[in-house]
Amino acid sequence: MNPVRNIIPKVKTIIKEFLGLNYPYVYVQRRLSSFAKVVSPISNKEVYNKEVDIIMPIYNRLAETKMAIEYLFKNANIKFKLILVDNNSDNKTQEYLKNLSHKNIKVIFLKENLGASIARESGLKESQNEFVAFVDNDILIMPNYFENLLTTIQTDNKIAGVQSKVVLPNLKIQINTPTFMIKDQDIVFTDKDIDKKFDDKSTFESKTCNYIPIGATLWRREVFNRFSFDEGMNTAFEDNDFAYSVYKGGYIFRNCPKAIALHINSEFSPKTIQDNSYMAGRYSNDKLLKSLKIFYKKHQLIFYFKTKEGFAKYLGFSNPEEYENSLKA
């Protein structure tokens, strides 16, 4: 056995930690923050007179939750009310939330983990301002985030919601220009800019979209008077279902590439990956399939993300046909 080969991975890890390339990705946070300041000059000063209700569902992930709240107060240079909805998190997370005493913060504690849909609806009941934002508890917003979203959403009264540019810790785009395509009975959700580098010049044009996910977005409050999240979809895909219903209701969406957010999602969070109870509660195939069956029953469309074959395998099926048959059973 070559001892040098055993040492090299350890040395690489030490170097990455020193440079801030490992969790919590300090280098990435600094780079995106600096970039957002340069790329996002604000000319519309009227946005500073708007007040936004920010809804953040929470389930465990205390470290990320702290960072998400810290970045909100650091970079949200607008008037806002932060509505935190705790989905029966562990004791440490609940203790932290109970000790928050800022006048701009409202904390709602749910007695059990009822999922994202009910958490979002619970937050909406506490909201009253013209615009509502959703910022998940693993999202770090960068400078000028809300200023750019507010500027974009006010360009057209038909815009229901605006999507920010969501970047992963590897500096690749996760969400920027979301879209869906329908062919026969299939509806395939994807993003036109997925996996491109965050500063790719081709990703900075604002475009009309036919759907947007929820986790890092800004909405008109009036939309939630007509549409609601399906409480049966309590694990995932409730945002796809909601946005698709809003789209069918005659609204449009738009992306805002100058509003930048860092998403420390579970695959980039070592402690989260190791938390079996959290992963089972959020990503178990049975719960995911339950939501997908509800989507099919409502819309008579078979849900896919990115590719048919890849999504079927992700859910534990050998092929798309097997997956489709399970929805129709």
Side-chain angles (χ1 to χ4, degrees):
M1 183 178 294
N2 189 340
V4 176
R5 288 186 177 180
N6 293 334
I7 294 174
I8 289 176
K10 295 180 180 179
V11 172
K12 286 183 177 179
T13 299
I14 292 171
I15 292 173
K16 283 186 175 182
E17 289 177 352
F18 176 77
L19 295 176
L21 294 172
N22 282 345
Y23 180 89
Y25 310 103
V26 177
Y27 166 78
V28 177
Q29 294 179 34
R30 290 174 178 169
R31 185 169 182 188
L32 288 180
S33 180
S34 299
F35 186 79
K37 291 177 183 178
V38 173
V39 79
S40 307
I42 301 300
S43 57
N44 181 12
K45 303 301 181 182
E46 292 183 5
V47 298
Y48 297 105
N49 296 322
K50 299 291 183 181
E51 184 169 1
V52 175
D53 292 321
I54 305 172
I55 299 173
M56 181 183 292
I58 295 168
Y59 177 58
N60 296 347
R61 302 195 67 179
L62 176 57
E64 286 85 353
T65 299
K66 286 181 176 179
M67 285 191 288
I69 294 173
E70 173 191 340
Y71 266 68
L72 274 173
F73 279 91
K74 178 181 177 181
N75 292 327
N77 295 315
I78 58 165
K79 300 174 185 177
F80 70 89
K81 175 184 177 183
L82 177 58
I83 304 169
L84 305 172
V85 186
D86 182 69
N87 245 326
N88 195 29
S89 293
D90 55 44
N91 291 337
K92 288 185 178 180
T93 303
Q94 289 197 26
E95 182 180 357
Y96 165 75
L97 296 174
K98 288 175 182 177
N99 289 328
L100 292 173
S101 58
H102 197 283
K103 64 179 181 179
N104 287 17
I105 295 178
K106 167 74 175 180
V107 185
I108 302 169
F109 292 97
L110 302 181
K111 293 182 179 180
E112 58 181 303
N113 183 4
L114 299 173
S117 290
I118 292 179
R120 298 190 199 285
E121 289 292 336
S122 298
L124 285 166
K125 290 177 182 177
E126 295 291 330
S127 68
Q128 58 186 12
N129 284 303
E130 180 184 0
F131 298 107
V132 178
F134 290 96
V135 178
D136 284 353
N137 69 324
D138 53 3
I139 294 288
L140 312 185
I141 69 161
M142 297 297 135
N144 298 324
Y145 179 86
F146 282 111
E147 294 90 327
N148 279 296
L149 291 179
L150 283 165
T151 298
T152 301
I153 201 169
Q154 293 179 89
T155 58
D156 190 332
N157 289 333
K158 291 184 179 179
I159 299 177
V162 180
Q163 173 66 57
S164 62
K165 175 184 279 187
V166 180
V167 182
L168 294 170
N170 59 8
L171 290 174
K172 291 185 177 181
I173 292 172
Q174 181 186 28
I175 307 166
N176 186 50
T177 312
T179 186
F180 68 77
M181 295 165 284
I182 296 177
K183 183 178 180 181
D184 299 326
Q185 273 195 308
D186 298 338
I187 180 168
V188 182
F189 292 88
T190 187
D191 192 289
K192 294 179 180 179
D193 297 321
I194 196 168
D195 290 334
K196 292 182 181 179
K197 195 174 178 184
F198 77 98
D199 57 355
D200 187 313
K201 292 182 179 179
S202 69
T203 67
F204 276 89
E205 181 183 353
S206 180
K207 301 175 182 177
T208 299
C209 307
N210 55 12
Y211 104 99
I212 58 174
I214 297 292
T217 53
L218 178 73
W219 296 74
R220 293 185 186 276
R221 181 66 181 79
E222 67 182 61
V223 174
F224 303 102
N225 296 330
R226 292 185 56 191
F227 304 92
S228 59
F229 294 98
D230 191 314
E231 295 183 359
M233 304 176 76
N234 58 6
T235 300
F237 312 122
E238 82 289 340
D239 50 354
N240 303 82
D241 172 69
F242 180 82
Y244 180 61
S245 298
V246 173
Y247 171 77
K248 290 197 299 181
Y251 285 93
I252 63 173
F253 305 100
R254 198 158 185 88
N255 73 336
C256 181
K258 289 185 177 182
I260 300 171
L262 172 63
H263 184 196
I264 305 181
N265 70 350
S266 56
E267 67 178 289
F268 291 93
S269 177
K271 287 186 177 180
T272 303
I273 289 291
Q274 296 165 11
D275 187 343
N276 293 330
S277 62
Y278 175 87
M279 295 301 291
R282 289 283 284 110
Y283 302 109
S284 74
N285 283 355
D286 289 343
K287 291 184 177 181
L288 295 177
L289 193 58
K290 175 188 172 185
S291 292
L292 293 166
K293 285 183 176 180
I294 292 173
F295 188 94
Y296 175 74
K297 185 176 181 180
K298 289 172 66 174
H299 306 295
Q300 291 299 296
L301 290 169
I302 298 170
F303 183 111
Y304 286 100
F305 180 69
K306 291 179 69 173
T307 66
K308 294 179 64 172
E309 291 75 13
F311 190 69
K313 288 182 179 179
Y314 169 74
L315 294 170
F317 296 98
S318 58
N319 54 63
E321 291 76 17
E322 186 179 327
Y323 162 56
E324 292 172 10
N325 290 335
S326 73
L327 295 182
K328 298 175 181 179

